[in-house]
Amino acid sequence: MSDPSAAAVPPPAPDSQWPLWEVFMQPRPGAPHEHCGSVHAVDAEQALLNARDVYARRNEGMNLWVVPSAAITASTPEDMGPFF
């Protein structure tokens, strides 16, 4: 039987790097989270630690979110007219 939590972690990238995670930081209480960059990590816990080390070294933020890049669906620049 497989581990159900393993399904949440994207597979390794084809170039054998760890999966890419997008990082969002809340700069102050009540403010929306803002995308601040990306990190590579083997799982969500490591992604959160890597994000903290890279993007919150000087206590810049209040809260961090990490999301597997593969889980994000986005519009494209070509969608600008008809989509919006």
Side-chain angles (χ1 to χ4, degrees), residues 2-59:
S2 65
D3 178 6
S5 65
V9 176
D15 60 5
S16 75
Q17 286 187 346
W18 288 337
L20 187 64
W21 298 74
E22 299 305 321
V23 181
F24 298 84
M25 185 180 341
Q26 184 182 33
R28 62 191 175 284
H33 283 72
E34 301 170 1
H35 183 258
C36 58
S38 305
V39 294
H40 286 276
V42 70
D43 60 21
E45 183 177 350
Q46 184 184 36
L48 193 56
L49 294 174
N50 290 352
R52 179 201 61 195
D53 293 346
V54 173
Y55 297 107
R57 290 181 295 227
R58 297 180 194 105
N59 297 323

Side-chain angles (χ1 to χ4, degrees), residues 72-76 79:
I72 296 175
T73 303
S75 62
T76 65
D79 292 334

